[in-house]
Amino acid sequence: MPSSASSASHYDWIIVGSGFGGSVSALRLAEKGYRVLVLEKGRRFAADDFPRTNWDLPRWMWRPSLGLRGIFQMSFFRHVTVLHGVGVGGGSLVYANTLAYPTASFFASRSWSASASAGWETELEPHYATARRMLGAARNPRETPGDRVLLEIARESGRENDFRPADVAVYFGAPGETARDPFFGGAGPDRAGCTFCGACMTGCRVGAKNTLDRNYLYLAEKRGAEVRAETEVIALRARPGGGYVVEAKDTFGGYGTRRRLTADRVVCAGGVMGTVPLLLAMREDPEGLPRLSPRVGDFVRTNSEALFAVVAPDRDDLSNGIAITSILHTDDHSHLEPVRYGAGSGFFRLLALPYAPGKTSLARIAGAIAKLARNPRLWARALSVRDFARHTQILLYMRTLESNLSLRLGRSVFTGFTRGLVTRLDPPAEAPQAFMPDATALAERFAKKVGGAPLALVTDMLLGTPSTAHILGGACMGASAEDGVIDGRHRAFGYEGLYVIDGSSVSANPGVNPSLTITALAERAMSFVPAKS
């Protein structure tokens, strides 16, 4: 029998991460009577804590060693640049609200089709419905100039029926007007109607965005779950006699007190950038989790996306609206979405270059110079606009087609040659692509219609490295430890009571923002856990 001191640090379940998988797990386990602890390395944010623009780096960007303790992190690798969220509520704080349903090809993908007895689409259908209700899914009610241009492209392409407003996790009450819990019958927090300011991805200061701290996590804490912010898990070990030891440290300034906690069961829910490096480190540690599958870190995928920014110097209203307002399916496996930041949020102008696809860095740089020379007046005006966000329409192109990477622990220029997470390409797998002809054609077509100039991130142009906000895989499902890290119920092979429920467990490319799918998968995984006896 543990002592009273150790009882205080022992839980039925410890959940590592507070994003879509962790928040769902916390609520459903608390409802079933378990003592639950959620550990989150980021801060807890109230509405006023979010930055007014993304120039306020200490409150927007996450790099605690530099005093930056915001909600947004960029991780650079040889094959991909990853954009991801940090804080109580995980990626919901910084994502673009979209709650998209994947196409049928996702559910039928061979990479995971055998993991559900009745087929994934059938098994997940009721859980998608629950996820949409819990996240407050609503159809975007307001059209923006970018939507009108996208609809024009759809009509010209004969795909008008494939264009629609986006389904999003936003409360569209009277703009700015506070309402008492419109979702949970009086059990949730007060909400305020969306003002369409465009600042969803820098953190909603209005209170209209349905972030996880306003639904799943809020309700979990009401039911007794404990959420401990600014606490990063650095080790996870099997406990003699059963259960797990979780070692954590304070993240304030990158240093701080270390804690040792124990639990009967653990849910890894830190996303690909949190869960995969933790599992890789523990698989290498003889005192950690050496029996974990050798597939940890394999089958990492993106949504095969491309990101562009079209700067239109004669337009000054492109920042109005929610972050993503509509979607156009350009063919059976691809779609395009218009994206925006709120007025004043022009940080990415520092990381952008004229878009010019090519096979080598020199070819791309030469192409960019040629573009500047062909139309110097347009580029001079576009690159000197006073408010970058007001004049910029970001375009997000995504595909369901697969491309795989592996994540490993190693040294590279991207880790400063210290030991850290690195990407590896395992032939014959294809790496994610920064330049896709269809995406390029759509971006240039959009730019022509608005009189704008297309830009891409500097990493795309100089390194040929694509960017993704939807990194997935690395702890995928399989029939055994030889071909997967977890089974169809998210249980890790080799370790009873260890679960992975986050983006790293998504075992195929949904081709759309995966937040709704991760939520539905988490609901399904928790449905198999019995109530505490």
Side-chain angles (χ1 to χ4, degrees):
M1 187 76 178
S3 67
S4 59
S6 61
S7 295
S9 60
H10 182 82
Y11 296 83
D12 296 322
W13 292 77
I14 288 179
I15 300 170
V16 184
S18 63
F20 290 94
S23 293
V24 172
S25 300
L27 174 58
R28 299 312 178 201
L29 292 170
E31 288 178 332
K32 294 180 179 187
Y34 292 102
R35 186 176 186 222
V36 178
L37 172 65
V38 180
L39 300 177
E40 167 58 52
K41 72 176 182 179
R43 295 168 53 199
R44 187 187 290 268
F45 287 82
D48 291 343
D49 294 329
F50 293 116
R52 293 187 181 278
T53 76
N54 60 13
W55 289 109
D56 185 355
L57 296 186
R59 293 205 286 177
W60 180 58
M61 191 78 77
W62 174 262
R63 186 70 64 181
S65 61
L66 300 178
L68 310 180
R69 298 169 62 237
I71 61 175
F72 176 70
Q73 185 172 2
M74 298 182 72
S75 297
F76 300 93
F77 299 99
R78 167 64 185 87
H79 299 96
V80 68
T81 299
V82 180
L83 317 177
H84 49 119
V86 184
V88 175
S92 74
L93 301 177
V94 73
Y95 86 134
N97 317 310
T98 50
L99 300 176
Y101 192 85
T103 61
S105 62
F106 167 69
F107 300 106
S109 175
R110 288 186 301 172
S111 60
W112 73 327
S113 58
S115 299
S117 57
W120 280 109
E121 190 162 14
T122 298
E123 288 209 14
L124 284 175
E125 183 178 358
H127 302 299
Y128 271 113
T130 300
R132 286 178 55 85
R133 175 178 59 83
M134 291 294 298
L135 297 173
R139 184 65 51 94
N140 169 42
R142 182 175 293 190
E143 185 182 67
T144 70
D147 300 318
R148 289 190 283 273
V149 174
L150 205 59
L151 179 56
E152 185 178 332
I153 291 173
R155 287 170 175 158
E156 292 171 355
S157 306
R159 301 193 71 94
E160 183 175 357
N161 292 335
D162 296 308
F163 172 88
R164 61 169 174 78
D167 291 330
V168 293
V170 177
Y171 172 52
F172 295 113
E177 184 176 309
T178 300
R180 176 61 182 165
D181 177 33
F183 301 110
F184 304 115
D190 290 349
R191 306 306 309 280
C194 179
T195 60
F196 301 93
C197 67
C200 311
M201 295 189 295
T202 50
C204 181
R205 294 174 57 87
V206 175
K209 186 176 182 179
N210 298 335
T211 50
L212 293 165
D213 56 322
R214 295 178 177 274
N215 41 66
Y216 280 103
L217 273 184
Y218 180 90
L219 297 174
E221 290 187 277
K222 290 293 185 182
R223 286 160 174 78
E226 179 185 347
V227 178
R228 194 174 298 179
E230 299 182 74
T231 306
E232 183 175 9
V233 172
I234 56 175
L236 172 61
R237 298 186 170 92
R239 187 187 186 202
Y244 296 90
V245 175
V246 177
E247 295 182 15
K249 68 174 183 178
D250 293 349
T251 56
F252 182 79
Y255 303 97
T257 304
R258 297 199 174 200
R259 296 183 174 88
R260 187 176 183 274
L261 306 161
T262 60
D264 296 328
R265 302 179 192 179
V266 170
V267 175
C268 293
V272 175
M273 303 307 297
T275 292
V276 173
L278 177 63
L279 294 182
L280 284 171
M282 292 302 96
R283 188 165 61 84
E284 291 185 3
D285 185 345
E287 297 181 357
L289 304 169
R291 299 194 307 274
L292 281 174
S293 166
R295 290 298 192 178
V296 174
D298 288 350
F299 309 120
V300 173
R301 49 178 58 85
T302 71
N303 278 157
S304 297
E305 63 252 70
L307 279 166
F308 307 93
V310 175
V311 185
D314 294 326
R315 305 262 188 155
D316 63 357
D317 57 354
L318 297 178
S319 66
N320 295 326
I322 57 174
I324 291 178
T325 44
S326 62
I327 180 171
L328 168 62
H329 288 276
T330 54
D331 57 40
D332 292 341
H333 54 76
S334 310
H335 72 267
L336 186 68
E337 299 172 352
V339 189
R340 64 191 46 75
Y341 276 95
S345 288
F347 172 80
F348 279 110
R349 76 191 301 163
L350 301 179
L351 302 180
L353 290 173
Y355 177 73
K359 292 185 177 180
T360 66
S361 298
L362 287 177
R364 293 189 291 271
I365 292 171
I369 293 172
K371 279 194 170 185
L372 294 171
R374 281 196 297 268
N375 199 339
R377 184 172 179 274
L378 170 63
W379 282 99
R381 295 177 64 227
L383 296 176
S384 63
V385 292
R386 183 172 182 178
D387 189 331
F388 189 76
R390 288 181 64 89
H391 294 273
T392 298
Q393 185 75 75
I394 302 168
L395 298 175
L396 173 58
Y397 176 85
M398 288 191 275
R399 305 188 302 175
T400 58
L401 304 182
E402 293 277 14
S403 57
N404 291 324
L405 295 170
S406 293
L407 288 175
R408 295 290 183 264
L409 296 177
R411 293 177 172 85
S412 75
V413 65
F414 296 96
T415 65
F417 294 106
T418 60
R419 187 167 169 78
L421 199 62
V422 299
T423 56
R424 190 179 75 186
L425 180 61
D426 296 322
E430 293 186 7
Q433 300 178 37
F435 308 102
M436 293 173 273
D438 290 349
T440 297
L442 287 165
E444 292 180 344
R445 191 172 175 183
F446 191 101
K448 184 175 181 180
K449 287 183 177 295
V450 298
L455 303 174
L457 285 177
V458 63
T459 46
D460 292 48
M461 291 299 298
L462 297 184
L463 303 176
T465 302
S467 302
T468 181
H470 309 133
I471 193 77
L472 302 168
C476 295
M477 296 180 186
S480 70
E482 297 304 313
D483 59 5
V485 179
I486 58 175
D487 67 11
R489 295 188 177 187
H490 294 258
R491 299 171 298 192
F493 292 115
Y495 290 93
E496 185 177 354
L498 179 61
Y499 292 69
V500 178
I501 307 176
D502 58 17
S504 66
S505 68
V506 178
S507 303
N509 176 13
V512 294
N513 184 295
S515 301
L516 183 67
T517 294
I518 296 170
T519 306
L521 284 168
E523 288 279 9
R524 176 182 175 272
M526 288 295 101
S527 72
F528 297 118
V529 177
K532 185 175 183 179
S533 57

